[in-house]
Amino acid sequence: MANAMLHQTVGTLQLHGSSGIHFQGGNNSVRLVPKGFKVEVGFCKRGICSSGEKKFSVIQASASQTSVFDPVLSPSNNGTHESLKKSNEAALILIRHGESLWNEKNLFTGCVDVPLTKKGVEEAIEAGKRISNIPVDMIFTSALIRAQMTAMLAMTQHRRKKVPIIMHNENEQARVWSLIHSEDTIKQSIPVIAAWQLNERMYGELQGLNKQETADRFGKEKVHEWRRSYDIPPPNGESLEMCAERAVAYFKDEIEPQLLSGKNVMIAAHGNSLRSIIMYLDKLTSQEVISLELSTGIPMLYIFKEGKFIRRGSPIAPTEAGVYAYTRVCNFLSSLSLIIMNLCKCFHPTDSIYLLLIHKA
């Protein structure tokens, strides 16, 4: 079928295993190195394009590949981008904040508002690099500075360079004073919603205490019970069950509707509020969730499709192959579309481009 479409091939672009992408057309040669795909690109003269626009079609042979990606758009494929938005697929990115100053000091932090360490800043930046090609339309964070710092620092690495802006709607004056009066600026911004419901669980009388000294004082078993049981809270604090009640309710009421509308969402929050949300997403039991450990600064990706959450990486033991396989596909497609746009400049407006993308199982 593809051969029948190509009346006059003037260049080919292929990707085979570890040899990478190689384009050869006349005096033009381009090489990239992602793995797992075979790609063939042909340019032909069919006279179907008009107004100087370049058109290309994509045939994906792998049904397992998701369509949620952020291509470099040309004037002629805006329709393609709109169709992706209407597909009811959306990306959900979860990031536990980087190391805080009290993490470094081994203190119970809870809802005390403590900033990141230098290491925490670096973790947030690295997290941003790993998700730099996954589209983000909205950001939700807790009301605590360490989660907000993580979200802001991560977005400094994003390829689209949109500016995250915290929405202040706590009263009418705050809303009016923070209004943006430029449509172009609004389009280049990402709203950030800060919600106390996404805060770390409140550790009550343990907040500010050294973890080791607390274990020595009350016993390791008692402190472990406070920290890791599902329904037993520390003195005058919250249990994981209590934290889950507020975090999951907020996710259902405020975040899930955004995903249903096709918006791609990032949540930067805390170990326990994110464990609670993952418990809901993955339908974990109370026994399964207490053994769930989340690393600081490691993004976790879910695809929301047809009302279901599909996990793209294991939050229990995140690996490059598991969590970031989706990101590598996004990087590859973005690089490929950029190459094609540049190659378009070499051809006449009546030329057409056809792309065959085959995922090699």
Side-chain angles (χ1 to χ4, degrees), residues 46-75:
R46 294 191 57 182
I48 64 171
C49 296
S50 60
S51 303
E53 294 181 347
K54 307 294 186 293
K55 297 183 178 181
F56 68 92
S57 59
V58 179
I59 305 170
Q60 288 185 279
S62 171
S64 64
Q65 296 302 314
T66 178
S67 62
V68 183
F69 66 96
D70 195 12
V72 180
L73 296 176
S74 65

Side-chain angles (χ1 to χ4, degrees), residues 269-311:
H270 308 265
N272 284 298
S273 54
L274 289 178
R275 287 166 74 202
S276 302
I277 290 171
I278 291 170
M279 182 182 182
Y280 167 69
L281 300 179
D282 291 347
K283 297 179 172 57
L284 303 180
T285 67
S286 58
Q287 287 302 308
E288 289 171 328
V289 74
I290 61 176
S291 62
L292 181 64
E293 295 291 343
L294 306 180
S295 300
T296 56
I298 296 293
M300 290 160 281
L301 177 65
Y302 288 80
I303 301 301
F304 182 69
K305 182 178 181 180
E306 298 177 354
K308 297 180 180 180
F309 291 94
I310 304 167
R311 190 172 64 190

Side-chain angles (χ1 to χ4, degrees), residues 95-360:
I95 305 178
R96 182 186 176 189
H97 65 80
E99 182 189 68
S100 76
L101 288 167
W102 276 16
N103 290 146
E104 183 182 48
K105 294 179 181 296
N106 200 32
L107 305 181
F108 285 102
T109 310
C111 287
V112 180
D113 209 356
V114 178
L116 299 179
T117 61
K118 180 181 178 181
K119 178 183 176 182
V121 169
E122 292 170 350
E123 288 176 329
I125 291 173
E126 181 62 25
K129 291 177 181 178
R130 294 178 187 272
I131 62 167
S132 63
N133 282 285
I134 301 176
V136 177
D137 300 310
M138 290 192 71
I139 298 172
F140 290 85
T141 78
S142 76
L144 304 175
I145 190 64
R146 56 191 185 274
Q148 295 177 19
M149 287 178 70
T150 298
M152 297 299 189
L153 289 166
M155 292 310 296
T156 64
Q157 307 302 306
H158 204 271
R159 186 178 60 83
R160 294 303 298 271
K161 301 300 181 184
K162 290 188 176 182
V163 178
I165 298 177
I166 294 179
M167 300 289 100
H168 287 285
N169 297 319
E170 55 267 26
N171 56 51
E172 182 62 18
Q173 178 175 298
R175 189 189 68 80
V176 171
W177 282 19
S178 62
L179 286 176
I180 301 171
H181 299 282
S182 166
E183 287 298 322
D184 289 340
T185 301
I186 291 174
K187 290 176 182 178
Q188 292 302 312
S189 304
I190 299 177
V192 181
I193 312 298
W196 70 267
Q197 292 91 335
L198 298 176
N199 281 12
E200 179 58 281
R201 71 179 174 117
M202 202 272 284
Y203 267 92
E205 295 178 12
L206 300 187
Q207 291 185 168
L209 300 184
N210 181 278
K211 293 176 182 178
Q212 184 57 53
E213 292 175 358
T214 305
D216 294 340
R217 177 181 173 186
F218 294 98
K220 290 182 180 180
E221 291 185 3
K222 175 56 70 175
V223 172
H224 182 77
E225 184 180 65
W226 289 334
R227 296 186 66 189
R228 287 294 178 261
S229 64
Y230 182 69
D231 55 1
I232 300 175
N236 294 316
E238 284 185 310
S239 64
L240 178 57
E241 181 180 32
M242 296 162 69
C243 178
E245 287 178 1
R246 57 173 166 86
V248 173
Y250 184 83
F251 182 88
K252 290 179 178 179
D253 293 343
E254 303 296 335
I255 300 176
E256 201 162 338
Q258 301 297 335
L259 294 165
L260 278 167
S261 71
K263 291 184 179 178
N264 305 294
V265 174
M266 182 175 85
I267 303 176
H270 308 265
N272 284 298
S273 54
L274 289 178
R275 287 166 74 202
S276 302
I277 290 171
I278 291 170
M279 182 182 182
Y280 167 69
L281 300 179
D282 291 347
K283 297 179 172 57
L284 303 180
T285 67
S286 58
Q287 287 302 308
E288 289 171 328
V289 74
I290 61 176
S291 62
L292 181 64
E293 295 291 343
L294 306 180
S295 300
T296 56
I298 296 293
M300 290 160 281
L301 177 65
Y302 288 80
I303 301 301
F304 182 69
K305 182 178 181 180
E306 298 177 354
K308 297 180 180 180
F309 291 94
I310 304 167
R311 190 172 64 190
R312 289 295 183 186
S314 170
I316 300 174
T319 63
E320 186 73 24
V323 179
Y324 307 121
Y326 176 76
T327 308
R328 289 205 304 277
V329 172
C330 293
N331 287 334
F332 166 58
L333 291 174
S334 296
S335 299
L336 183 60
S337 60
L338 183 60
I339 289 173
I340 291 171
M341 285 181 63
N342 289 331
L343 291 173
C344 284
K345 299 174 184 177
C346 303
F347 301 97
H348 191 272
T350 58
D351 295 348
S352 299
I353 303 171
Y354 295 90
L355 169 66
L356 178 62
L357 173 59
I358 303 173
H359 180 257
K360 298 175 68 180

